[in-house]
Amino acid sequence: GGGDFYHDFRMLATSFALADNRILDISNVTMTQFYFDGGSGSVLYVKDAAEFNLTNVSVTDNNNRTAYGSVRVVGDGKVTFSDSDFSGNRGEDGVAAHFVGAPTLTITGSNFHDNPSNHDGGALKIDGGSVTIEDSTFDSNSATNAGGAIYAIQPDTLDISNSRFIN
């Protein structure tokens, strides 16, 4: 839907719709200072990937005033975030990342800090799926409604180990 879209061109491709069970790997990238005013934009939107891997990626200082997270993943594939940093993002739901569908989600060695949500899930919003979070830090994330760090809706499993939640 409509609205304005701005970014600083550090990453040019921001939307991926994958057919035929494709695999998407993104590594060693910085996604910063994207701005969305209206619509349902995300810095990175991935739909129907059989496998999506985000490694050593920095997602910082993005603003989505009226909708979903800086990274939005829709579908039931395997999703892995490792050694990545999500900080200073602002928005509506799952400000750092929003997962919809029934993914098998694994997050390891990642940091989520200073991500305020205008609704649910300052760092993460998870709608279904099996979730494992290991060796990660959640610091100073907030939400006006629920889930300052993580807001999970009916996950099949939610396993968190060796992770820190601060403020």
Side-chain angles (χ1 to χ4, degrees):
D4 295 326
F5 166 76
Y6 308 94
H7 65 86
D8 72 356
F9 296 102
R10 291 185 193 190
M11 183 175 169
L12 297 176
T14 60
S15 182
F16 300 90
L18 302 173
D20 301 323
N21 296 320
R22 302 290 176 156
I23 297 172
L24 175 62
D25 292 316
I26 298 177
S27 60
N28 304 314
V29 172
T30 296
M31 293 179 265
T32 189
Q33 298 178 358
F34 285 70
Y35 177 80
F36 299 89
D37 188 6
S40 60
S42 296
V43 175
L44 181 62
Y45 177 79
V46 178
K47 182 177 180 186
D48 297 331
E51 188 175 328
F52 171 45
N53 303 300
L54 198 71
T55 306
N56 194 33
V57 170
S58 180
V59 181
T60 62
D61 300 320
N62 299 293
N63 187 352
N64 191 346
R65 291 177 20 117
T66 59
Y68 307 107
S70 292
V71 176
R72 187 164 193 234
V73 180
V74 177
D76 60 0
K78 178 182 174 190
V79 178
T80 303
F81 285 9
S82 58
D83 303 318
S84 293
D85 182 67
F86 299 81
S87 65
N89 300 293
R90 296 167 302 286
E92 186 74 18
D93 280 317
V95 173
H98 184 199
F99 305 94
V100 181
T104 300
L105 171 64
T106 303
I107 297 173
T108 58
S110 294
N111 297 304
F112 299 84
H113 56 94
D114 300 307
N115 297 293
S117 169
N118 293 330
H119 197 249
D120 295 325
L124 304 174
K125 183 172 182 179
I126 302 162
D127 295 330
S130 297
V131 182
T132 301
I133 299 171
E134 300 172 328
D135 302 316
S136 294
T137 301
F138 295 82
D139 186 1
S140 301
N141 299 288
S142 62
T144 58
N145 189 44
I150 300 170
Y151 183 69
I153 302 169
Q154 299 181 334
D156 296 328
T157 60
L158 177 58
D159 296 320
I160 301 172
S161 63
N162 300 319
S163 295
R164 295 177 25 171
F165 291 83
I166 306 165
N167 295 327

